[in-house]
Amino acid sequence: EYYDEWKSKNIQLVRLNQDRIRQELIPLGVEFFGPDAVHRIVLTLDEKIDATEFNKKLISEGVRLLDISTRMYDVGVKYTNDPPFTNSLQATAAISDEWLGEFLEKFKKVYQSL
């Protein structure tokens, strides 16, 4: 009954979250694969950082992202003629401000510790 209202609000929230993620992580050197899917954002780390090891450190902080550096063909973000991704992680952007703030804080902590 409320799907149309919910969907537009959810898409607006996701776009705001994706913008905030970019604003806060670009200064660290994180790049973004685009365009973004509706609810996710793909982050590409500096080539000196191994995405799998980085993700393990995030998990120890209580944050889990999808490591697509090893699964790029399985998750639907890899197009047939694209070059392979390296050091890429996928995050959902359909989360509350509180969770987003915690994600960004922990992501920066781990990134800056490397």
Side-chain angles (χ1 to χ4, degrees):
E1 181 178 334
Y2 299 101
Y3 178 77
D4 291 335
E5 179 183 342
W6 169 84
K7 182 179 177 182
S8 64
K9 286 181 181 179
N10 189 47
I11 290 172
Q12 181 181 17
L13 170 74
V14 167
R15 295 295 180 229
L16 290 171
N17 287 350
Q18 289 168 335
D19 290 344
R20 182 175 168 198
I21 291 168
R22 278 193 182 80
Q23 289 172 355
E24 293 199 32
L25 299 185
I26 284 174
L28 297 177
V30 176
E31 296 181 7
F32 297 88
F33 180 80
D36 298 316
V38 171
H39 67 282
R40 65 183 177 223
I41 187 165
V42 177
L43 306 88
T44 302
L45 306 179
D46 183 287
E47 64 185 35
K48 296 177 279 185
I49 299 171
D50 181 87
T52 302
E53 292 304 313
F54 183 84
N55 199 34
K56 287 178 185 176
K57 289 181 181 190
L58 273 179
I59 290 168
S60 72
E61 292 289 329
V63 174
R64 180 182 300 268
L65 301 181
L66 178 61
D67 179 3
I68 61 171
S69 65
T70 58
R71 296 189 58 225
M72 62 191 136
Y73 293 95
D74 298 341
V75 295
V77 296
K78 175 78 173 121
Y79 299 106
T80 307
N81 297 319
D82 285 346
F85 299 138
T86 57
N87 295 326
S88 295
L89 299 168
Q90 178 180 287
T92 183
I95 57 177
S96 68
D97 283 343
E98 179 183 338
W99 288 1
L100 182 59
E102 185 177 340
F103 159 71
L104 290 167
E105 178 184 316
K106 290 178 179 182
F107 188 97
K108 290 176 190 178
K109 175 183 174 184
V110 171
Y111 200 90
Q112 291 169 339
S113 74
L114 300 174

